[in-house]
Amino acid sequence: MTAEQLAEPLYEAPAAPAPESGRPPYAAALLSRLGPDEPGYQSRLGGALADAERLLRACTRDASDPRVRALTGHLAATGGKRMRPLLVLLAAEFGDPGSEGVARAAVVTELVHLASLYHDDVVDRAATRHGAPTANALWGNRVAAMGGNWLLARAARLSADLVPEALALNSLTANRIVAGQMRELTGPGPGEDALAHYVRVTAGKTAALLAMSLGVGAWQARASRAVADTLVEYGEQLGIAFQIADDLLDLLSPEASSGKEQGRDLLVGVPSLPVLLAREGTDPCDAELRELLAAGPAAGAGWHRRVLDLFSVSPATVRARALMHQRLARARTALATLPPLPARHTLDALCDFVALRTG
């Protein structure tokens, strides 16, 4: 597969609910692109994705009150990437992918992810996600937050039957996610380095759930401890790289491409990595950018557009991309110790995909 093929935009799920049957469009397209096309591999994983999607839809709509069903099924119905269920299924390939509970494990990870999105959208005051109105935009902050809580409770119910190691990892990850969200809200502590704080936040909010997806997939499929630990390490590094890529996309990608308002993190004051690097940098090319970031939106009309224009040519953006590649290199190093299965090829290609999302 060429870099040009990997860089082509994938189909993003529309605002309308996805079909009741068949594979999730984004995850299926991603799996097909990342290959390899070995006998039985694509069809097995495609079928498993479809099974997980059906279970996810059922889990998000099993409340007795139709108003609660509308709330809790909202984000699931708009589509989404289903990256985490895909990681569960890829990790299961290193054990017995047909093991009981693998589909449940995939759905648990997506339920936790969806819950975190409900909470993030409340904190960020986001109006859209995946091109559709957010739950908080439709029902208000308090109701949306409770919807996220409901999804977490549903994930806990579903995970009760997982193998002990997967259940333990799920519990640990829930704690890490909450800690990451709290660190982001409270900011760096006295004397804490801003970049180190960013990594701690990212490890909790993003990397922890990707690592959990791979770990629970491996454990549920009865893979060895060494394989599970390796996949968790890969997920940690991939997750940090994934967040850096999202930071770059927030600044560089128009809403028509990303489905999210360009520069939204800037407007709500989220300290993304390029912003932190620009603030701490000394490059003369970033002098105007540092002044504008210090002034904030109060600088007046045109502030937002000018900051985005400056980031498109900023050395801080180049540094952020270099740090992303360092994390991807660590992820590949972990993969190198795994058996040469088709799933390892797919996980390696996923590193390329994350890098090429940002150009």
Side-chain angles (χ1 to χ4, degrees):
M1 179 177 299
T2 66
E4 289 76 15
Q5 288 172 317
L6 271 174
E8 290 173 1
L10 283 172
Y11 170 75
E12 288 280 8
E20 291 297 317
S21 61
R23 289 176 283 176
Y26 192 100
L30 183 60
L31 175 62
S32 176
R33 179 177 299 181
L34 299 182
D37 188 18
E38 296 199 8
Y41 175 67
Q42 290 279 345
S43 60
R44 181 174 64 253
L45 281 173
L49 277 170
D51 291 342
E53 183 71 10
R54 284 190 288 270
L55 179 57
L56 174 67
R57 296 299 182 92
C59 287
T60 57
R61 296 184 309 197
D62 67 356
S64 57
D65 189 321
R67 296 167 298 179
V68 177
R69 288 199 299 271
L71 169 65
T72 58
H74 175 65
L75 275 185
T78 63
K81 295 179 174 64
R82 306 294 191 258
M83 179 75 74
R84 289 136 195 97
L86 178 58
L87 290 176
V88 171
L89 299 174
L90 288 170
E93 291 288 306
F94 294 91
D96 177 7
S99 293
E100 173 69 22
V102 169
R104 284 201 307 276
V107 173
V108 166
T109 62
E110 188 66 7
L111 287 171
V112 175
H113 171 59
L114 290 174
S116 73
L117 297 184
Y118 277 64
H119 293 154
D120 279 350
D121 288 341
V122 168
V123 172
D124 296 342
R125 302 187 296 276
T128 61
R129 183 177 288 278
H130 304 318
T134 56
N136 48 294
L138 292 172
W139 292 286
N141 286 342
R142 290 189 297 177
V143 173
M146 290 306 297
N149 294 345
W150 191 96
L151 292 171
L152 285 176
R154 192 66 183 86
R157 280 176 55 198
L158 196 63
S159 65
D161 294 329
L162 299 181
V163 299
E165 295 87 351
L167 181 57
L169 183 55
N170 178 41
S171 299
L172 173 64
T173 302
N175 288 331
R176 291 185 64 193
I177 291 172
V178 172
Q181 290 172 329
M182 291 297 295
R183 284 193 180 99
E184 183 177 48
L185 288 173
T186 57
E192 183 180 9
D193 178 73
L195 293 179
H197 177 262
Y198 170 88
V199 172
R200 292 188 185 98
V201 169
T202 301
K205 286 195 61 181
T206 304
L209 190 48
L210 296 189
M212 168 189 155
S213 301
L214 290 149
V216 298
W219 285 121
Q220 198 63 34
R222 278 53 173 196
S224 70
R225 175 175 292 277
V227 165
D229 289 346
T230 297
L231 286 167
V232 166
E233 172 61 17
Y234 164 85
E236 291 281 350
Q237 301 303 328
L238 181 75
I240 294 175
F242 197 88
Q243 183 58 57
I244 297 173
D246 270 1
D247 289 353
L248 290 166
L249 286 171
D250 177 71
L251 295 171
L252 305 177
S253 182
E255 183 173 355
S257 301
S258 67
K260 294 185 284 188
E261 180 183 3
Q262 186 177 2
R264 178 66 188 173
D265 287 349
L266 279 174
L267 293 174
V268 299
V270 174
S272 67
L273 182 61
V275 169
L276 293 174
L277 292 172
R279 285 174 177 168
E280 296 193 355
T282 57
D283 195 303
C285 296
D286 273 346
E288 182 186 358
L289 181 56
R290 286 193 293 274
E291 291 178 5
L292 289 172
L293 290 174
W303 174 87
H304 186 227
R305 185 68 260 168
R306 181 56 180 162
V307 170
L308 292 177
D309 288 343
L310 289 170
F311 266 117
S312 70
V313 294
S314 169
T317 303
V318 176
R319 287 184 62 199
R321 189 174 281 111
L323 291 171
M324 176 189 69
H325 281 286
Q326 287 180 17
R327 294 290 177 170
L328 291 174
R330 295 182 188 180
R332 291 185 198 275
T333 297
L335 281 182
T337 66
L338 293 174
L341 302 178
R344 192 182 90 175
H345 175 96
T346 302
L347 292 171
D348 186 75
L350 185 56
C351 292
D352 293 327
F353 176 72
V354 170
L356 289 167
R357 289 173 72 215
T358 67

